[in-house]
Amino acid sequence: MIENLLLDPDAIHEVLKPFGTSTPARTPDDVRTLLSQIADERIEDEVRLRIKQQLPIGRLEIEPHELLDSTDLDALVSRKSATWAARLRELGVGNADSITDRARNDVEAIVAAGKQQERFHGKRILQKLHQRLNVNGVGLSQTAFATQIAAPAACGERLRRLTDAPISAITLYIPSTLTSTVTAASADSGTSALAKQCHYHRAAWERGEPDPTGRAELRRDIFALARTLEPGTRANLTALAAEIGTA
């Protein structure tokens, strides 16, 4: 969530400076401590959120025509309940590797890595922080609080650290089917070398370490290959090559 990017202790402290002693967070370290406390209080809620996200969408749905056509409402509800239970069993509910266990393991891994303020529900942390800071009564509403944090946060090291990797993944994207499409396009040695380059760049992208070098040349060579192919394959390969991100 965008609110996670606003959980910057230094940026928050800049916003709080004019309030002096009217706020309990008078230093960046005070803000850090308060953010950590709020994030730790959210652990059980974070587990519940992750369980809810994994539950099948739809719940117990009954269509109007089913009600009209049914003479036994109990039987209809029973059939629907059985379908719902089957969907839950498919998710492993009640097993050792259940959605509950997976949700808790996910949250525990986040806590162990110290990533609560990056991975927990940022909007709720920011809401609770605003309440704890006691600044609403002196004219800083929750919306104004978030808006004012944005400016110093945008210049901070934390935002750069959190956004560099995803921005790089977007700008240096490599399509997942590019290697197999290039491989299938031709069996000659030149194409084989081209496929190896595609595989290298895709593997680096999947590791979160995209390599910006040689991207323009790779795209150019794939366009050149595409021009030698039949129209259908040419169009597919051209579209994939156009998705290759360059620095």
Side-chain angles (χ1 to χ4, degrees), residues 59-76:
R59 310 300 187 263
L60 291 177
E61 295 181 345
I62 297 177
E63 297 295 332
H65 71 86
E66 293 176 306
L67 288 174
L68 293 172
D69 296 341
S70 176
T71 57
D72 188 341
L73 184 59
D74 289 339
L76 174 61

PDB file of all heavy atoms in Angstrom, residues 59-76:
ATOM      1  N   ARG A  59     -18.281 -17.169  -1.228  1.00  0.00           N
ATOM      2  CA  ARG A  59     -18.960 -17.697  -0.050  1.00  0.00           C
ATOM      3  C   ARG A  59     -20.111 -18.626  -0.456  1.00  0.00           C
ATOM      4  O   ARG A  59     -20.059 -19.284  -1.470  1.00  0.00           O
ATOM      5  CB  ARG A  59     -19.455 -16.542   0.851  1.00  0.00           C
ATOM      6  CG  ARG A  59     -18.385 -15.497   1.156  1.00  0.00           C
ATOM      7  CD  ARG A  59     -17.197 -16.116   1.887  1.00  0.00           C
ATOM      8  NE  ARG A  59     -16.258 -15.121   2.324  1.00  0.00           N
ATOM      9  CZ  ARG A  59     -15.149 -14.796   1.659  1.00  0.00           C
ATOM     10  NH1 ARG A  59     -14.882 -15.374   0.502  1.00  0.00           N
ATOM     11  NH2 ARG A  59     -14.307 -13.903   2.130  1.00  0.00           N
ATOM     12  N   LEU A  60     -21.174 -18.681   0.305  1.00  0.00           N
ATOM     13  CA  LEU A  60     -22.306 -19.564  -0.012  1.00  0.00           C
ATOM     14  C   LEU A  60     -23.293 -18.809  -0.908  1.00  0.00           C
ATOM     15  O   LEU A  60     -24.190 -18.128  -0.427  1.00  0.00           O
ATOM     16  CB  LEU A  60     -23.001 -20.032   1.267  1.00  0.00           C
ATOM     17  CG  LEU A  60     -22.197 -20.991   2.138  1.00  0.00           C
ATOM     18  CD1 LEU A  60     -22.965 -21.319   3.409  1.00  0.00           C
ATOM     19  CD2 LEU A  60     -21.878 -22.267   1.390  1.00  0.00           C
ATOM     20  N   GLU A  61     -23.093 -18.933  -2.199  1.00  0.00           N
ATOM     21  CA  GLU A  61     -23.923 -18.193  -3.138  1.00  0.00           C
ATOM     22  C   GLU A  61     -25.105 -19.043  -3.604  1.00  0.00           C
ATOM     23  O   GLU A  61     -24.928 -20.192  -4.017  1.00  0.00           O
ATOM     24  CB  GLU A  61     -23.102 -17.762  -4.347  1.00  0.00           C
ATOM     25  CG  GLU A  61     -21.992 -16.766  -3.991  1.00  0.00           C
ATOM     26  CD  GLU A  61     -21.207 -16.343  -5.220  1.00  0.00           C
ATOM     27  OE1 GLU A  61     -21.337 -17.017  -6.265  1.00  0.00           O
ATOM     28  OE2 GLU A  61     -20.464 -15.351  -5.130  1.00  0.00           O
ATOM     29  N   ILE A  62     -26.287 -18.468  -3.552  1.00  0.00           N
ATOM     30  CA  ILE A  62     -27.499 -19.131  -4.041  1.00  0.00           C
ATOM     31  C   ILE A  62     -28.140 -18.217  -5.076  1.00  0.00           C
ATOM     32  O   ILE A  62     -28.453 -17.053  -4.784  1.00  0.00           O
ATOM     33  CB  ILE A  62     -28.482 -19.418  -2.895  1.00  0.00           C
ATOM     34  CG1 ILE A  62     -27.848 -20.387  -1.889  1.00  0.00           C
ATOM     35  CG2 ILE A  62     -29.795 -19.998  -3.441  1.00  0.00           C
ATOM     36  CD1 ILE A  62     -28.727 -20.679  -0.690  1.00  0.00           C
ATOM     37  N   GLU A  63     -28.323 -18.736  -6.283  1.00  0.00           N
ATOM     38  CA  GLU A  63     -28.922 -17.956  -7.352  1.00  0.00           C
ATOM     39  C   GLU A  63     -30.443 -17.904  -7.189  1.00  0.00           C
ATOM     40  O   GLU A  63     -31.050 -18.846  -6.660  1.00  0.00           O
ATOM     41  CB  GLU A  63     -28.571 -18.576  -8.709  1.00  0.00           C
ATOM     42  CG  GLU A  63     -27.079 -18.586  -9.034  1.00  0.00           C
ATOM     43  CD  GLU A  63     -26.507 -17.185  -9.181  1.00  0.00           C
ATOM     44  OE1 GLU A  63     -27.284 -16.276  -9.560  1.00  0.00           O
ATOM     45  OE2 GLU A  63     -25.307 -17.007  -8.913  1.00  0.00           O
ATOM     46  N   PRO A  64     -31.070 -16.824  -7.654  1.00  0.00           N
ATOM     47  CA  PRO A  64     -32.533 -16.706  -7.542  1.00  0.00           C
ATOM     48  C   PRO A  64     -33.279 -17.888  -8.152  1.00  0.00           C
ATOM     49  O   PRO A  64     -34.263 -18.377  -7.570  1.00  0.00           O
ATOM     50  CB  PRO A  64     -32.842 -15.410  -8.282  1.00  0.00           C
ATOM     51  CG  PRO A  64     -31.594 -14.597  -8.124  1.00  0.00           C
ATOM     52  CD  PRO A  64     -30.469 -15.589  -8.179  1.00  0.00           C
ATOM     53  N   HIS A  65     -32.813 -18.381  -9.310  1.00  0.00           N
ATOM     54  CA  HIS A  65     -33.523 -19.485  -9.959  1.00  0.00           C
ATOM     55  C   HIS A  65     -33.447 -20.757  -9.126  1.00  0.00           C
ATOM     56  O   HIS A  65     -34.346 -21.612  -9.175  1.00  0.00           O
ATOM     57  CB  HIS A  65     -32.976 -19.732 -11.370  1.00  0.00           C
ATOM     58  CG  HIS A  65     -31.599 -20.338 -11.388  1.00  0.00           C
ATOM     59  ND1 HIS A  65     -31.391 -21.697 -11.301  1.00  0.00           N
ATOM     60  CD2 HIS A  65     -30.373 -19.770 -11.496  1.00  0.00           C
ATOM     61  CE1 HIS A  65     -30.088 -21.946 -11.351  1.00  0.00           C
ATOM     62  NE2 HIS A  65     -29.447 -20.792 -11.469  1.00  0.00           N
ATOM     63  N   GLU A  66     -32.373 -20.897  -8.330  1.00  0.00           N
ATOM     64  CA  GLU A  66     -32.266 -22.075  -7.482  1.00  0.00           C
ATOM     65  C   GLU A  66     -33.317 -22.033  -6.373  1.00  0.00           C
ATOM     66  O   GLU A  66     -33.865 -23.078  -5.986  1.00  0.00           O
ATOM     67  CB  GLU A  66     -30.860 -22.163  -6.876  1.00  0.00           C
ATOM     68  CG  GLU A  66     -29.774 -22.432  -7.908  1.00  0.00           C
ATOM     69  CD  GLU A  66     -28.387 -22.427  -7.303  1.00  0.00           C
ATOM     70  OE1 GLU A  66     -28.029 -21.423  -6.647  1.00  0.00           O
ATOM     71  OE2 GLU A  66     -27.659 -23.423  -7.463  1.00  0.00           O
ATOM     72  N   LEU A  67     -33.591 -20.860  -5.868  1.00  0.00           N
ATOM     73  CA  LEU A  67     -34.641 -20.729  -4.854  1.00  0.00           C
ATOM     74  C   LEU A  67     -36.020 -21.003  -5.455  1.00  0.00           C
ATOM     75  O   LEU A  67     -36.864 -21.653  -4.837  1.00  0.00           O
ATOM     76  CB  LEU A  67     -34.617 -19.321  -4.256  1.00  0.00           C
ATOM     77  CG  LEU A  67     -33.443 -18.996  -3.324  1.00  0.00           C
ATOM     78  CD1 LEU A  67     -33.492 -17.519  -2.932  1.00  0.00           C
ATOM     79  CD2 LEU A  67     -33.476 -19.873  -2.079  1.00  0.00           C
ATOM     80  N   LEU A  68     -36.210 -20.517  -6.676  1.00  0.00           N
ATOM     81  CA  LEU A  68     -37.514 -20.700  -7.324  1.00  0.00           C
ATOM     82  C   LEU A  68     -37.761 -22.160  -7.678  1.00  0.00           C
ATOM     83  O   LEU A  68     -38.894 -22.648  -7.618  1.00  0.00           O
ATOM     84  CB  LEU A  68     -37.601 -19.834  -8.584  1.00  0.00           C
ATOM     85  CG  LEU A  68     -37.605 -18.315  -8.348  1.00  0.00           C
ATOM     86  CD1 LEU A  68     -37.501 -17.572  -9.671  1.00  0.00           C
ATOM     87  CD2 LEU A  68     -38.869 -17.892  -7.599  1.00  0.00           C
ATOM     88  N   ASP A  69     -36.666 -22.863  -8.069  1.00  0.00           N
ATOM     89  CA  ASP A  69     -36.814 -24.245  -8.514  1.00  0.00           C
ATOM     90  C   ASP A  69     -36.767 -25.249  -7.373  1.00  0.00           C
ATOM     91  O   ASP A  69     -37.055 -26.437  -7.569  1.00  0.00           O
ATOM     92  CB  ASP A  69     -35.715 -24.592  -9.533  1.00  0.00           C
ATOM     93  CG  ASP A  69     -35.826 -23.765 -10.802  1.00  0.00           C
ATOM     94  OD1 ASP A  69     -36.916 -23.214 -11.046  1.00  0.00           O
ATOM     95  OD2 ASP A  69     -34.829 -23.660 -11.525  1.00  0.00           O
ATOM     96  N   SER A  70     -36.385 -24.804  -6.186  1.00  0.00           N
ATOM     97  CA  SER A  70     -36.189 -25.735  -5.078  1.00  0.00           C
ATOM     98  C   SER A  70     -37.447 -25.845  -4.216  1.00  0.00           C
ATOM     99  O   SER A  70     -38.071 -24.840  -3.860  1.00  0.00           O
ATOM    100  CB  SER A  70     -35.018 -25.283  -4.212  1.00  0.00           C
ATOM    101  OG  SER A  70     -34.876 -26.130  -3.097  1.00  0.00           O
ATOM    102  N   THR A  71     -37.802 -27.074  -3.902  1.00  0.00           N
ATOM    103  CA  THR A  71     -38.925 -27.316  -2.984  1.00  0.00           C
ATOM    104  C   THR A  71     -38.413 -27.698  -1.595  1.00  0.00           C
ATOM    105  O   THR A  71     -39.201 -27.847  -0.670  1.00  0.00           O
ATOM    106  CB  THR A  71     -39.827 -28.449  -3.518  1.00  0.00           C
ATOM    107  OG1 THR A  71     -39.038 -29.627  -3.697  1.00  0.00           O
ATOM    108  CG2 THR A  71     -40.458 -28.031  -4.855  1.00  0.00           C
ATOM    109  N   ASP A  72     -37.096 -27.896  -1.491  1.00  0.00           N
ATOM    110  CA  ASP A  72     -36.499 -28.291  -0.212  1.00  0.00           C
ATOM    111  C   ASP A  72     -35.329 -27.351   0.075  1.00  0.00           C
ATOM    112  O   ASP A  72     -34.208 -27.557  -0.391  1.00  0.00           O
ATOM    113  CB  ASP A  72     -36.017 -29.742  -0.299  1.00  0.00           C
ATOM    114  CG  ASP A  72     -35.571 -30.279   1.069  1.00  0.00           C
ATOM    115  OD1 ASP A  72     -35.297 -29.445   1.964  1.00  0.00           O
ATOM    116  OD2 ASP A  72     -35.498 -31.505   1.222  1.00  0.00           O
ATOM    117  N   LEU A  73     -35.617 -26.299   0.816  1.00  0.00           N
ATOM    118  CA  LEU A  73     -34.598 -25.287   1.094  1.00  0.00           C
ATOM    119  C   LEU A  73     -33.438 -25.870   1.891  1.00  0.00           C
ATOM    120  O   LEU A  73     -32.270 -25.543   1.642  1.00  0.00           O
ATOM    121  CB  LEU A  73     -35.220 -24.124   1.860  1.00  0.00           C
ATOM    122  CG  LEU A  73     -34.291 -22.933   2.149  1.00  0.00           C
ATOM    123  CD1 LEU A  73     -33.743 -22.348   0.857  1.00  0.00           C
ATOM    124  CD2 LEU A  73     -35.031 -21.867   2.956  1.00  0.00           C
ATOM    125  N   ASP A  74     -33.737 -26.764   2.833  1.00  0.00           N
ATOM    126  CA  ASP A  74     -32.670 -27.364   3.635  1.00  0.00           C
ATOM    127  C   ASP A  74     -31.707 -28.161   2.760  1.00  0.00           C
ATOM    128  O   ASP A  74     -30.490 -28.120   2.954  1.00  0.00           O
ATOM    129  CB  ASP A  74     -33.264 -28.275   4.712  1.00  0.00           C
ATOM    130  CG  ASP A  74     -33.960 -27.481   5.816  1.00  0.00           C
ATOM    131  OD1 ASP A  74     -33.643 -26.290   5.959  1.00  0.00           O
ATOM    132  OD2 ASP A  74     -34.820 -28.054   6.508  1.00  0.00           O
ATOM    133  N   ALA A  75     -32.248 -28.889   1.784  1.00  0.00           N
ATOM    134  CA  ALA A  75     -31.408 -29.682   0.888  1.00  0.00           C
ATOM    135  C   ALA A  75     -30.546 -28.775   0.018  1.00  0.00           C
ATOM    136  O   ALA A  75     -29.370 -29.066  -0.247  1.00  0.00           O
ATOM    137  CB  ALA A  75     -32.280 -30.579   0.017  1.00  0.00           C
ATOM    138  N   LEU A  76     -31.124 -27.664  -0.442  1.00  0.00           N
ATOM    139  CA  LEU A  76     -30.365 -26.718  -1.263  1.00  0.00           C
ATOM    140  C   LEU A  76     -29.201 -26.140  -0.478  1.00  0.00           C
ATOM    141  O   LEU A  76     -28.057 -26.095  -0.963  1.00  0.00           O
ATOM    142  CB  LEU A  76     -31.287 -25.592  -1.739  1.00  0.00           C
ATOM    143  CG  LEU A  76     -30.621 -24.430  -2.488  1.00  0.00           C
ATOM    144  CD1 LEU A  76     -29.935 -24.928  -3.753  1.00  0.00           C
ATOM    145  CD2 LEU A  76     -31.641 -23.347  -2.801  1.00  0.00           C
TER     146      LEU A  76
END
